[in-house]
Every structure is written in structure tokens, then in C-alpha cells.
Amino acid sequence: MYLENKSNLEIEMSQTSAQGHQGRSSLRSPEAVAGNFGELRLLQGISERRETQKLQQSAVLPSGQCVIHSEGFVPVRQEDGHNFSVVNFLRGKTNSANLTERSPLLRFSQDDSITYMTLHDPSFVGEEEHWDNGSLDLEKRYRLGSEKTKTGISCIFLFFSMYPDRDNPWRMVAVSSTDSFSMNLTDFRDNALLKLQVGGPFTGGMIDLTNQEYVLIQVEQIEQAGQRRRRTQQVIHNWTIPLHSERSDQILVTKTFEMLSSDPIVITVQAFLQDNEVVPLSMTHQSLYVNVETQVAIAGIILAGVYVLIIFEIVHRTLAAMLGSLAALAALAVIGDRPSLVTVVEWIDYETLALLFGMMVLVAIFSDTGFFDYCAVKAYQLSRGRVWPMIIILCLIAAILSAFLDNVTTMMLFTPVTIRLCEVLNLDPRHVLIAEVIFTNIGGAATAVGDPPNVIIVSNQDLRKEGIDFASFTGYMFLGICLVLFTSFPFLRMLYWNKKLYNKESIEIVELKHEILVWRQTAQRINPASREETAVKCLLMQKVLNLESLLRKMMKTFQRQISQEDKNWEQNIQELQKKHRITDKVLLVKCVSVLGVVIFMFFVNSFVPSIHLDLGWIAILGALWLLVLADIQDFEIILHRVEWATLLFFAGLFVLMEALAQLQLIDYIGEQTALLIKAVPEDQRLAIAIILVMWVSALASSLIDNIPFTATMIPVLINLSQDADVNLPVKPLIFALAMGACLGGNGTLIGASANVVCAGIAEQHGYGFSFMEFFRLGFPMMIMTCMIGMCYLLATHIGLGWNM
């Protein structure tokens, strides 16, 4: 079985050069591209079997390889940009004039019982025209990063093989006001820490002994006199854990204690209750061999290493997150706290992954209707052909939607529309997408349901007792974010002042480059497991080579210029509307119906607590519903459009953040922040506390995940406000935490989930942007928005006294 053309047994790879310059639509229309690829078909018959037998008789062609043949047989160097393992090509020297753009892409000829693929003779360009040097440099960096990480991975594997999982069993105990529990620990080492984990019906916040029930855990060690000490020394640690009034939620709490020596340790658990009921608890302990400061230093080094891998693009960000999580787990193994595989899997936030997967499937089916192209034309018509009004409209709509929807959902809907719109206007989509995702993160901070840190804050029962509920939180944050939002547009225009939003080349060249990238990615995704798949891969790479040859010819005659705004936009609207229209109205109705129900359920889930469906379940059920309604026959096509690299990145990031939390990094940041606030004089303490919490939250959220950071900082700030020596109201601190955690996500590419999702979708469309490209625009915007937010906090809480 082999590839043939529908007509005359030839496959045409492109239009002639003369036809290619007649017009933009004839050269690069999507229909023409689809037609070229659609003309490939597999035939069966008598002639097919004869050709197959001849191919099988060729001993020089093992499975998975093909030979590309050209007249002349003059060997030349192989270009890095065209390097693929299944071919070694030769190019002719004298017969290039006989080959045209309409020469057959694939032709079979017989020569001594060997079948050859005819290769067109590409004309190589000089050193000054390396238009794809960026991709070549990227490939070299990936190879360099692969070599550099081999040694590190070997060391990590060595650590995992040397240190076993922690195997201390959980002990079930029951305590009451009259019955306590005690146990002795004798297997303890010198210079070690004792880590206790206790599970029970606990609550957060600082204990008030007058009206609340609690559990007291006392850790005691007595070091006898000897060579190290001249007299006996005793250390006692008291740990107070408040109990929940309903005794319903089982919460796991952890604390680490510094011990003196290897002498026995006595742990006593006592409950202080208002009646004689029994409180069930579960408890385990672990010996750690490294102190807290060293654990924090190790965590900081691992986090810095991950950022180095991502910033300099040594490896892909997904691989960087996986390597970072593996290094953090190895560090836990070294200090004696290696988690089991089951525990590591439990660290992954499957609700977020389910939300991402479900929305990716929905958007993949939605894109087949032509709706995104239609929206792009409508946005172009609404902006009257002007670029900056169009960008402002897109950013404003994205900010408004993200205030009520999840930021990830907003960007998954907006990114395809923005890419198609920029392709129509010959704009670089990267700059527009970065601006959109920045304003998405800003808009998400406006309400209690727009960003995960806000959801965590309004869900905290202790903060609700302090008056921070859905309405009060949304009212205060909405006013401040509106101020931040409208002052951000002029600053965004200043950042983009010297940015060339238009592509420097003509739209024909830009589309041809993008088409070459798509063809190459398609060929690389084919696994040549059979002879037919090998032939298809060779065919696609042949297509890439011929399109590159055409691109070189166009670059030689191209006069570099910068496109200007379209002055004749009214005349082009009709042409664009004819070209970009709804292609499947029935499927569009089904997609709009399902997506409308899913978005409506997102709203209902935020305001109606009686509906027991998380966002992940809603997205998954919506995706399954649409798959049934759309009657998808080839499910693998939909799976190919899912951003699996993005899903793996989030899984690795969740494990990395939890491992860093186990290394005390997040707790250390919270404790040091509290100590700095306590050291400030009382008359300036509130202002300094607002500034400090705001900027620590912003910088930390740009480097680590803001969800565990927010969850860690809430009890720290509650305890700080209830400390009589500090005397600070809790509302300003919580609002500063929310403002910093949400706006800080714009600082880096991995600072917010929406940033990573947008980068992944853009990369799938061939417009991926790097960490530094996002950092150059996102970090200044983060600094400016945090400055505006800080001024708003100081003006309302210090100037106006809105602290009650």
C-alpha cells in the first residue's frame, strides 16, 4: 500500500510561483492547504500489491526509513532546520532548472529494484538570510539542557534509592476532659527535629480560652547530665489546637519541634471541653535530620533552579516543573520525610486539571464551527480598523468576564479569537495575548469568585466572623480594582510605545512561515511505526522543504516595510465576511447551548451552596455532553487538540509547591513577615503592615503558587490581629493579602494559571511566547498595579479609617 495522487498519480505540493504572487487568497487560502493535504489517499488493488512486493524485496530499506532521490547525486551538508532522522537527502547540481513549483511532490521510479522518492532541488540561501535562526537556537538550547540535566537526574534517582518512604503508622487515639493520652518515643537521633501530624475536627485561627474548646499537645524531653551537659536540662513545647464546634470536618495539622538530644521524648495529649464527650484523633510522628533554616535554603535553591530552567529555556517549562518537583521530593527524602507515591498523587489538584481538560475539549469542538473567525471579523469591524481601540476593547471584555468567570475559562475562550483576529490584521498575536492575560488577572481580583485566593478568603469561617463576607469583600475590592483597571490602560500604552504590533513582513510571508511551522509540527507528531506512516512523514517533510524554498524566493524579492493601519477597512469587511463565516450552524447551536449551560452552572456554583458540583465536574460533564451531541466519530482528533503539556505542567507545579511547603518555605515567609510587622513602632504599624503584606504577597505570588500561599497567610494574619501586643485590625491585612496575591500573578509567566494556559494555546497555534517576553511586559504592569492598589489601601484604611 502506498501513496498516490487522485489524478495522474502525482501529488502537487503548491501553486506556481507566478500564481503565488497573483493574490493573497490564491496563495495561502485555508481551502487550498486543506486541498493539498486532502488529495492524499491510500489505494488497494493489484498494482498496489505488486508495488508492495517490490518494496519488501528492497533490503536496503528497513522499516521506518525512506530514500530521497535526486538527479546528479552530489552530496551536500544537511541543514539543521530540516533535520529529520528518517531521511538522508542528496541534491542535484545541474538539473534544478527543470524543477518548478508544480513538480510532483512524490514520484516513484524504478532503478535496480529500489524505489526512490524524488526530491526537489531547493536553492539554499546565504548566511544573511537565516529567517528561522530562532527555532535552530531553541533546538540547540534543548539539546544543551538535556545534557546538563543528566547528571542532576542521576543524583535524584540515587537519593530516591537510598532513602525509603516514611513508614511510621498512624495511631488512633481518643481524648476527653478527663482522659488524656501519653506515649514515649525512644528511637530518636541527635540534632533532629520532631514532626507531629495530627488529624481531627479542628478549626483555624487563634484560640480564645474563654469560649472555645481545644486540644493541648505537650512535647517534653529531659536530657540527663553527662559529657555534653553538666546538669540536667528540660525542654517543654505546648501546642494548642482549637476544635470545631460541630465536630464534622477532619483537618490535618502539622508542627515541627526542635529537640535537645536522642533522649526519650514524652508526648501528652489532653482535651479541654465544655462537656465530657470524647474527641477522636489520629496522630503520627517523623524524625527530620535538617533544621528549618536549612530546609528553607534547600527549597529556595530548588525554586531558583526551576526558574533558571524556564527563563533561559534550557528545557521546556513542563519538564522544568517535573524536574523541580522531583528535586524537591529528593530533598524531602534526604531530610527523612520522603512521602509515598500515594501521598504525592494526593497533592495534585484534580479539580483544576478537570476544569482545564473539560474546557479544552469544549473549545476544541467549538473551533470547528468557524465561530472564532466570525468573532474576529466582528471585532475588526467594531474597532473600525484601528488597532489600539480593538486591543482596549478585548482587554476590557476579558477583565469584565474574568471578574465573574474563572480566569482560565476566560483565556481559553479568548485566546483562539485573538489569534484569528491578529492573523486577519497581520498583527503579532503574542503582544495582544500578553495584554489580555494581564487584564484578565486584574479583573479576576474584583470579586470574591474571580480568583482562587479570593474564594479561599471568603470561605474562611474565622474571617466571616470578622465581617469579611461575599458582599463586603466584593464591594471593597471592586472599587479598588476599577481604579487599578482604568489607570492601567495608559501605562499599557506606554509599555507598548516602541513595540511593533504589526508584522514587518507582508501577510503572505507571515502566513507562509506559519504554514511551514504547522506542517513541520504535524510531521513530527507522526510516529513512523509502519511503512505507510513513514511515507506520509517523508511526504510532509518534503512539503516543508518545498515551502521553505518558496519562502526563500519571496524573501529575496521582499522590500522590508512596516504595515500600517488599514485605511480601507470598510472595503475589506465584505471580503473578510465572505471568507470567515460560520461553517457549521447546527454544531454552533449545540456548542453555544452546552457552553451556555456550563457558564451558567459556574455562576450558580458560586452563589448557591446547595449545588454539590465543583468547577471541574461541571466542565467534564459539559465536555461529555457536547461529545455526545456533536456525534464525534474520530475522538483522537479532539484529544490531539488537548494541551497535554499544560496539564502535565500544572500537575508537576502542584507537587512542587506542596513539596516546598513541606520544606517549610511558605511557613517561613509568613513567620518572617509577622516578625517584621511586630518590630515596627506602634504608630506606624498599620501602614507598614499593609505595605509589607501587599508586596510580600505580590512578589511571592509571582514566584510560587498563590493558592497555598494565601491559605498559609490567612491564619498568620488572624493570629497577628488577635495578638494584644500588636493591636492590628484584620480587614486591612486580608485586603492587602488579596490585592497582592491576585495582582502578583502578572509578575511572571508561571505566576498565574491563566498565563500558562494562554501560553500553551498560543504555542499550539504556532505563536508561543517565552518567559522573558512575558516578564518584560508583565512585571512592570505588576509593579504599577500594586502601587495603585497600595495607594488605595492606604487611603481607605489610614486616611479614611475603613477598618471596621
Side-chain angles (χ1 to χ4, degrees):
M1 190 161 56
Y2 62 94
L3 291 169
E4 288 187 335
N5 187 274
K6 277 187 178 180
S7 60
N8 301 327
L9 301 178
E10 290 184 352
I11 299 176
E12 294 185 356
M13 49 144 291
S14 63
Q15 304 296 328
T16 62
S17 178
Q19 290 176 338
H21 291 286
Q22 287 178 1
R24 183 172 66 193
S25 61
S26 64
L27 176 63
R28 298 268 67 87
S29 65
E31 294 80 10
V33 175
N36 287 338
F37 186 76
E39 286 187 356
L40 303 180
R41 64 173 183 167
L42 299 175
L43 300 178
Q44 293 181 346
I46 299 175
S47 61
E48 172 190 326
R49 289 193 293 270
R50 287 200 300 264
E51 295 295 330
T52 303
Q53 291 173 358
K54 292 179 180 180
L55 287 173
Q56 291 176 346
Q57 293 172 358
S58 176
V60 296
L61 284 178
S63 176
Q65 293 186 356
C66 61
V67 175
I68 297 182
H69 173 71
S70 178
E71 296 80 357
F73 290 104
V74 178
V76 295
R77 65 175 177 85
Q78 199 172 19
E79 287 188 330
D80 292 338
H82 311 144
N83 182 21
F84 51 99
S85 60
V86 295
V87 293
N88 293 317
F89 68 87
L90 306 171
R91 82 179 171 97
K93 183 176 181 180
T94 59
N95 297 332
S96 60
N98 298 328
L99 300 175
T100 65
E101 293 301 329
R102 296 188 60 84
S103 300
L105 175 60
L106 184 65
R107 185 173 64 222
F108 289 92
S109 59
Q110 303 299 325
D111 184 9
D112 296 333
S113 300
I114 298 178
T115 301
Y116 295 93
M117 287 181 60
T118 301
L119 172 69
H120 295 176
D121 185 12
S123 56
F124 294 99
V125 297
E127 295 295 330
E128 70 279 3
E129 295 185 8
H130 293 296
W131 61 271
D132 59 347
N133 275 344
S135 62
L136 302 184
D137 293 340
L138 187 60
E139 292 177 3
K140 293 178 180 178
R141 283 198 297 268
Y142 282 166
R143 296 194 208 102
L144 180 61
S146 178
E147 294 294 333
K148 289 184 176 180
T149 54
K150 288 180 180 178
T151 304
I153 296 177
S154 301
C155 296
I156 293 174
F157 284 153
L158 181 61
F159 290 147
F160 266 83
S161 62
M162 292 175 57
Y163 300 95
D165 294 345
R166 56 189 181 201
D167 55 356
N168 287 348
W170 285 85
R171 185 187 298 267
M172 307 303 296
V173 300
V175 294
S176 64
S177 298
T178 57
D179 297 328
S180 62
F181 169 79
S182 298
M183 67 176 179
N184 295 330
L185 303 181
T186 57
D187 53 342
F188 206 72
R189 291 174 38 177
D190 287 335
N191 301 323
L193 303 178
L194 175 63
K195 178 181 179 182
L196 283 182
Q197 288 182 289
V198 183
F202 303 132
T203 183
M206 186 175 178
I207 181 67
D208 185 0
L209 301 181
T210 60
N211 58 9
Q212 196 170 10
E213 301 171 321
Y214 61 94
V215 170
L216 177 63
I217 299 178
Q218 187 178 78
V219 180
E220 180 181 1
Q221 185 184 46
I222 299 177
E223 185 180 12
Q224 301 296 332
Q227 295 181 355
R228 295 178 55 183
R229 299 186 184 276
R230 296 182 178 179
R231 58 182 181 177
T232 302
Q233 185 172 357
Q234 181 182 17
V235 59
I236 299 177
H237 298 283
N238 291 326
W239 184 16
T240 303
I241 311 175
L243 291 171
H244 198 279
S245 59
E246 298 180 359
R247 306 286 195 272
S248 57
D249 297 334
Q250 292 293 317
I251 299 177
L252 183 65
V253 293
T254 304
K255 192 168 184 179
T256 304
F257 304 94
E258 294 186 5
M259 309 312 298
L260 296 175
S261 63
S262 60
D263 291 334
I265 300 173
V266 179
I267 300 177
T268 305
V269 183
Q270 177 72 45
F272 293 84
L273 308 174
Q274 297 178 357
D275 49 28
N276 293 326
E277 64 177 322
V278 177
V279 178
L281 302 175
S282 58
M283 184 167 55
T284 185
H285 67 278
Q286 188 75 23
S287 299
L288 307 182
Y289 310 129
V290 177
N291 58 30
V292 175
E293 288 75 13
T294 305
Q295 293 182 42
V296 172
I298 294 174
I301 293 174
I302 293 173
L303 186 62
V306 172
Y307 269 88
V308 168
L309 294 177
I310 295 177
I311 291 174
F312 297 101
E313 298 181 5
I314 299 175
V315 296
H316 193 273
R317 59 176 175 271
T318 301
L319 182 57
M322 297 173 69
L323 291 176
S325 60
L326 196 59
L329 293 176
L332 289 175
V334 171
I335 69 174
D337 195 21
R338 172 183 167 178
S340 64
L341 182 59
V342 176
T343 303
V344 173
V345 172
E346 291 175 350
W347 290 350
I348 300 176
D349 187 355
Y350 289 101
E351 181 184 353
T352 301
L353 297 184
L355 172 64
L356 291 172
F357 177 78
M359 293 305 300
M360 286 176 182
V361 173
L362 289 173
V363 172
I365 301 175
F366 207 178
S367 62
D368 291 335
T369 63
F371 179 77
F372 295 143
D373 295 346
Y374 176 80
C375 290
V377 175
K378 287 300 180 182
Y380 176 70
Q381 184 179 7
L382 185 63
S383 64
R384 303 177 65 87
R386 293 175 295 176
V387 174
W388 270 104
M390 178 200 69
I391 294 177
I392 292 176
I393 290 174
L394 290 176
C395 293
L396 186 60
I397 295 176
I400 294 174
L401 283 180
S402 63
F404 303 98
L405 285 179
D406 186 79
N407 295 355
V408 173
T409 304
T410 303
M411 287 312 303
M412 293 190 71
L413 296 176
F414 259 72
T415 303
V417 176
T418 303
I419 290 176
R420 290 299 300 131
L421 177 60
C422 293
E423 289 176 345
V424 169
L425 299 181
N426 195 25
L427 296 174
D428 188 353
R430 289 182 286 265
H431 298 307
V432 183
L433 289 175
I434 292 175
E436 279 185 6
V437 75
I438 288 174
F439 279 87
T440 298
N441 293 328
I442 295 175
T447 64
V449 297
D451 220 5
N454 297 355
V455 177
I456 294 175
I457 289 174
V458 297
S459 301
N460 189 278
Q461 296 297 327
D462 295 304
L463 294 180
R464 288 188 178 184
K465 295 178 182 178
E466 298 290 341
I468 303 178
D469 54 7
F470 184 92
S472 62
F473 182 88
T474 301
Y476 183 86
M477 293 294 292
F478 183 81
L479 182 61
I481 293 301
C482 286
L483 178 63
V484 171
L485 186 66
F486 290 111
T487 54
S488 299
F489 284 111
F491 189 74
L492 178 69
R493 187 68 181 90
M494 291 175 57
L495 287 178
Y496 278 65
W497 190 263
N498 293 324
K499 299 287 184 182
K500 304 300 181 183
L501 299 181
Y502 282 100
N503 291 307
K504 296 182 179 180
E505 294 89 2
S506 63
I507 191 171
E508 290 84 0
I509 293 179
V510 172
E511 291 183 354
L512 182 56
K513 286 184 177 181
H514 187 247
E515 182 181 345
I516 291 172
L517 178 61
V518 172
W519 280 100
R520 177 176 284 132
Q521 289 177 347
T522 304
Q524 291 173 349
R525 290 169 183 161
I526 296 179
N527 183 21
S530 63
R531 185 173 58 255
E532 290 79 13
E533 292 175 337
T534 301
V536 172
K537 185 166 186 176
C538 293
L539 179 67
L540 296 179
M541 294 306 300
Q542 185 73 53
K543 175 81 172 178
V544 171
L545 294 179
N546 284 274
L547 290 178
E548 289 177 342
S549 176
L550 176 61
L551 178 62
R552 293 186 185 96
K553 294 178 182 179
M554 295 178 64
M555 293 292 291
K556 288 181 180 179
T557 59
F558 171 68
Q559 299 294 329
R560 187 173 297 272
Q561 58 184 1
I562 299 177
S563 302
Q564 300 296 326
E565 290 186 358
D566 195 352
K567 304 299 182 182
N568 300 322
W569 65 274
E570 293 179 346
Q571 300 177 2
N572 296 333
I573 283 294
Q574 295 181 353
E575 297 180 5
L576 293 174
Q577 288 176 343
K578 292 179 181 179
K579 184 177 179 181
H580 304 284
R581 60 177 61 186
I582 303 298
T583 58
D584 193 337
K585 294 183 180 180
V586 177
L587 182 60
L588 176 63
V589 173
K590 297 177 182 179
C591 292
V592 171
S593 302
V594 173
L595 190 61
V597 173
V598 169
I599 294 176
F600 175 74
M601 291 301 297
F602 285 166
F603 281 108
V604 173
N605 178 74
S606 302
F607 299 100
V608 182
S610 60
I611 297 181
H612 303 288
L613 279 179
D614 296 328
L615 298 182
W617 272 114
I618 296 173
I620 290 292
L621 294 177
L624 293 176
W625 185 19
L626 185 57
L627 285 171
V628 174
L629 290 179
D631 192 19
I632 301 297
Q633 300 296 329
D634 193 350
F635 188 66
E636 291 186 358
I637 295 179
I638 302 299
L639 293 181
H640 278 303
R641 299 181 185 177
V642 174
E643 284 291 324
W644 297 108
T646 302
L647 297 178
L648 287 176
F649 173 80
F650 278 108
L653 189 64
F654 290 141
V655 175
L656 173 63
M657 290 299 115
E658 183 62 30
L660 295 181
Q662 295 291 327
L663 289 171
Q664 310 295 322
L665 176 63
I666 299 177
D667 291 336
Y668 184 80
I669 295 175
E671 293 173 0
Q672 294 302 313
T673 303
L675 291 176
L676 288 176
I677 293 175
K678 290 181 179 180
V680 177
E682 185 175 356
D683 56 340
Q684 304 174 358
R685 185 170 294 163
L686 180 58
I688 298 300
I690 292 175
I691 296 174
L692 195 60
V693 172
M694 172 80 181
W695 286 104
V696 169
S697 303
L699 294 176
S701 297
S702 64
L703 298 176
I704 60 178
D705 191 1
N706 55 11
I707 296 178
F709 178 79
T710 303
T712 303
M713 286 297 295
I714 287 176
V716 172
L717 297 180
I718 291 177
N719 292 340
L720 194 64
S721 65
Q722 295 180 355
D723 192 342
D725 296 333
V726 178
N727 192 22
L728 287 177
V730 69
K731 281 188 176 181
L733 304 181
I734 295 299
F735 288 136
L737 172 65
M739 195 82 72
C742 294
L743 298 180
N746 287 327
T748 62
L749 180 60
I750 63 175
S753 302
N755 306 354
V756 181
V757 171
C758 179
I761 298 176
E763 185 177 357
Q764 190 180 42
H765 286 77
Y767 300 105
F769 45 86
S770 65
F771 183 95
M772 292 306 299
E773 288 176 332
F774 185 91
F775 182 80
R776 294 188 190 100
L777 298 174
F779 192 78
M781 285 293 296
M782 186 267 287
I783 296 296
M784 193 279 300
T785 53
C786 288
M787 289 289 294
I788 300 297
M790 182 188 68
C791 294
Y792 172 73
L793 290 169
L794 293 176
T796 54
H797 293 291
I798 303 300
L800 300 178
W802 291 1
N803 299 328
M804 301 301 295

